[in-house]
Structures are given as structure tokens and as C-alpha cells.
Amino acid sequence: GAVVSQHPSRVICKSGTSVKIECRSLDFQATTMFWYRQFPKQSLMLMATSNEGSKATYEQGVEKDKFLINHASLTLSTLTVTSAHPEDSSFYICSARNAFSSTEAFFGQGTRLTVV
Amino acid sequence: RKEVEQDPGPFNVPEGATVAFNCTYSNSASQSFFWYRQDCRKEPKLLMSVYSSGNEDGRFTAQLNRASQYISLLIRDSKLSDSATYLCVVHTGGFKTIFGAGTRLFVKA
């Protein structure tokens, strides 16, 4: 089936630095990708919707200047956590839907971010 | 009100038990419905789609009631390997996907 690749799977960074997470759809075009965050023992929370060639749409309470999203091609979206703080430590997952053939959402493997 | 609400759980059941999860959604224009399974520290995986006519996949049965905006998942003859978090997922318009908070299931020997 369709595959979404997310990289890196795990990252540890120092407080104040920035971290970039990549999400690629490997065998289909995804005009729209989604970024989620999941804190321990909590549900997946939609952070933003990434639209190819246009600005991302952020959910209420998500700082767009802190979580920069770029969706420059039909197969790649990136999430950059800027000036990371320990409270940003979380599990970040992207998903994509094949715009032309499927309603199923395919997920990346997730990125576990630890800010120290 | 949350867009997608699920039983809070956790459900602790013995092997062989039958367990049912419920989910309600608020957007009557929602288009597609799914149950996903998420194991600890892993990404969600599609378990099954949900249709108004009901669908069954082995020990799993899913049902959708559009009039009540209600989705259910029934697991029969629970196995230890069924222990996971089950997520009710709704696709609204514009390819937006909304997840329920998830229900944890623990199946014990």
C-alpha cells in the first residue's frame, strides 16, 4: 500500500535550537498533509494542515511562528520546531491522503522529539 | 464539544471476551469513517473502514449510524494481541482528518 516516510524517527536537541522533521509520500501525490502531536497518554491532536504551494492552516492554539510548515512539492512537507523548549517534547506524526484515489490516511512512522 | 468523542476507557477484559467501543461525531457533513489501532509509541494503523451497512473483518465488526452520528466497533473473542488504543477517525470536508481521543484496551490472560 501507499507509504509515508517520516524522518528522523527520534531526535534530541538542546533548548533554543530548531528541529526540522520531514514527511514524504513515497508513491503517491499528496496535495494535503497533516501534522499531529501526541503527548504521553493523550490523543493525537491536529496541529496544522499543510497545503502544497500555499500557506499551512493552523489549528487554534498552535503558534505558526513556532511551528513552521513548508509543503514545497506534492510529495514533501516539513515541520520545523523553532526555538524548541522542553515542553515541545512530544511525538509528532504526519499523515497524507492520496488526493486522487483514496480516503484512507497514511501515516509516517512518527518523530519522538526530546528537548533537553 | 469535541468534533469526535469516544468512550474514555480503559477497558480491561479477559481473553475471549467481547468488547464494544463507541464514538460520536459532531459534523453531520462528515464523509468517511474509520477505526485505527495505535500501539504504544507507534503510528496509527488502519483497522477498518466503517459503512452504514456495517462491515465485518474476522472478529471485528464496525457500524455507522449517520442519523445518530454514531460509530461503533465490536471485538469478539479478544486476544492478548488486541491490547492497544483504538482511535475513531472521521474525515470531514477538505481532506481534514479528525481523531477521537482513543480508547485503551487491555486484554488479560
Side-chain angles (χ1 to χ4, degrees):
Chain A
V3 177
V4 173
S5 176
Q6 187 174 339
H7 177 80
S9 59
R10 186 181 297 269
V11 59
I12 301 172
C13 70
K14 290 185 177 181
S15 187
T17 61
S18 295
V19 175
K20 179 185 284 188
I21 302 170
E22 292 188 348
C23 181
R24 294 179 184 272
S25 56
L26 297 185
D27 54 2
F28 66 96
Q29 294 182 335
T31 54
T32 304
M33 292 186 178
F34 304 92
W35 287 96
Y36 297 85
R37 180 169 54 184
Q38 187 174 33
F39 292 106
K41 298 186 179 181
Q42 295 188 25
S43 63
L44 284 164
M45 296 301 296
L46 179 64
M47 297 175 66
T49 302
S50 169
N51 302 297
E52 186 269 333
S54 64
K55 291 183 179 180
T57 303
Y58 290 82
E59 296 299 304
Q60 193 173 12
V62 178
E63 300 174 60
K64 61 180 180 181
D65 294 329
K66 180 170 183 61
F67 299 98
L68 301 179
I69 292 173
N70 183 281
H71 193 156
S73 77
L74 287 171
T75 59
L76 174 64
S77 176
T78 61
L79 168 69
T80 301
V81 183
T82 63
S83 187
H85 289 102
E87 56 264 31
D88 297 324
S89 299
S90 185
F91 192 50
Y92 293 85
I93 303 181
C94 69
S95 78
R97 288 169 63 187
N98 187 330
F100 301 105
S101 66
S102 173
T103 57
E104 179 185 348
F106 300 97
F107 287 86
Q109 301 91 328
T111 298
R112 184 157 302 281
L113 170 64
T114 303
V115 184
V116 297
Chain B
R1 183 186 173 188
K2 292 182 180 178
E3 291 188 72
V4 177
E5 295 201 65
Q6 290 185 239
D7 284 350
F11 285 61
N12 294 287
V13 303
E15 273 188 294
T18 296
V19 61
F21 302 142
N22 303 315
C23 171
T24 57
Y25 60 96
S26 61
N27 186 340
S28 60
S30 297
Q31 301 170 343
S32 307
F33 310 88
F34 305 86
W35 284 101
Y36 278 71
R37 169 190 170 134
Q38 186 177 25
D39 294 292
C40 188
R41 293 174 175 257
K42 298 286 182 63
E43 76 276 20
K45 296 279 182 63
L46 178 66
L47 179 64
M48 58 197 307
S49 302
V50 189
Y51 306 111
S52 298
S53 55
N55 51 308
E56 186 174 313
D57 182 4
R59 299 181 292 107
F60 299 83
T61 301
Q63 192 75 45
L64 165 65
N65 184 320
R66 283 190 180 270
S68 303
Q69 295 179 200
Y70 171 91
I71 304 161
S72 65
L73 176 68
L74 184 75
I75 304 176
R76 292 179 299 277
D77 188 23
S78 299
K79 310 291 184 190
L80 293 174
S81 58
D82 293 334
S83 297
T85 297
Y86 291 83
L87 305 170
C88 174
V89 180
V90 175
H91 289 171
T92 62
F95 290 101
K96 192 171 181 179
T97 302
I98 303 296
F99 286 81
T103 302
R104 284 194 166 192
L105 172 65
F106 295 101
V107 181
K108 300 180 179 179

